[in-house]
Amino acid sequence: MDHYKTLGLSCDATKEEIKVAFRRCAFEFHPDRHTHSTDSARELAVSQFKKASEAYGVLIDDSKRAGYDRIRSGGGFRGVSRGPYSNYNNYGYSAGTGAGAGAVPGYRTSAGIQWDVMFRYMTSRRFALNVFYASAFLCGTILIETTGKSLWEMNNSGKSFEDAMESIETVKSQKDDQ
C-alpha cells in the first residue's frame, strides 16, 4: 500500500498538506457518514478510512516517514532480509546488522526467525499457561512413574514384572483346570 497515493499526495508533501489530505479523506470515508449506505459501500468506506488513518499515522511522524520512505525506495535495511511482515510496525528503527541484537522488529533475520514475534509470544499469558500446564503434566507423569515403581517394589520384593506375570498366568491356569 502506498501511503502517498492513499492520501493523494506527492512524495514531497509538507505536514500541513498531509493534515489537509487526511481531513479530506476522513470526511469522505468516515464510517459515521455511511451508516445508511449499503453494506458493500460501508465496508469500502471503512476500509478506505483505515488506510487513510494508517497513512496519516506514518506520514505525519518524521521518523516513521523516513523509515517508510527508505523502505519504499527499495533501500531496506542493511543485513536484514525482508519478510512478509516488512511493512508493518518497523518505521523509524535504525538499520540492523543481522541476527540477534540490532535486528529490526518485523523482519526475518538471516536464520528466518522473527525475534519480535517470538518475544511477544514468550511474554504472553498464553505462553505462561502453556508452560505451566506442560510442566504440571511432566511432573505428574514423573510422580506417577516413581510412585508406581515404589509401590511395586514394596509389594513384590525380589520379583521382576515378568516373574509376577508368570505367577499370575500360573494361578489363572490352575483355577481354569479346577
Side-chain angles (χ1 to χ4, degrees), residues 14 20 36 46 53 62 69 72 76 87 93 101 111 129 142 145 158 162-163 170:
T14 64
V20 169
H36 300 295
V46 168
S53 296
D62 291 333
D69 288 341
R72 186 173 177 266
N87 290 333
Y93 290 98
L129 284 173
I142 292 170
E145 180 69 26
E162 289 80 18
D163 292 339
T170 307

Side-chain angles (χ1 to χ4, degrees), residues 103-123:
V104 178
Y107 281 86
R108 293 180 190 271
T109 59
S110 58
I113 299 171
Q114 286 186 313
W115 293 104
D116 65 322
V117 174
M118 185 184 305
F119 180 74
R120 275 196 312 258
Y121 178 71
M122 290 179 69
T123 56

Side-chain angles (χ1 to χ4, degrees), residues 24-35 45-46 49:
R24 179 182 35 80
C25 288
F27 182 75
E28 182 179 348
F29 297 116
H30 196 279
D32 290 344
R33 291 185 47 91
H34 295 276
T35 55
V46 168
F49 182 74

Side-chain angles (χ1 to χ4, degrees), residues 131-147:
V131 168
F132 171 75
Y133 289 133
S135 60
F137 178 73
L138 181 63
C139 290
T141 305
I142 292 170
L143 180 67
I144 290 170
E145 180 69 26
T146 55
T147 304

Side-chain angles (χ1 to χ4, degrees), residues 41-57:
R42 188 174 27 254
E43 288 176 14
L44 179 65
V46 168
S47 172
Q48 291 293 347
F49 182 74
K50 286 180 182 178
K51 287 179 184 179
S53 296
E54 181 182 351
Y56 177 75

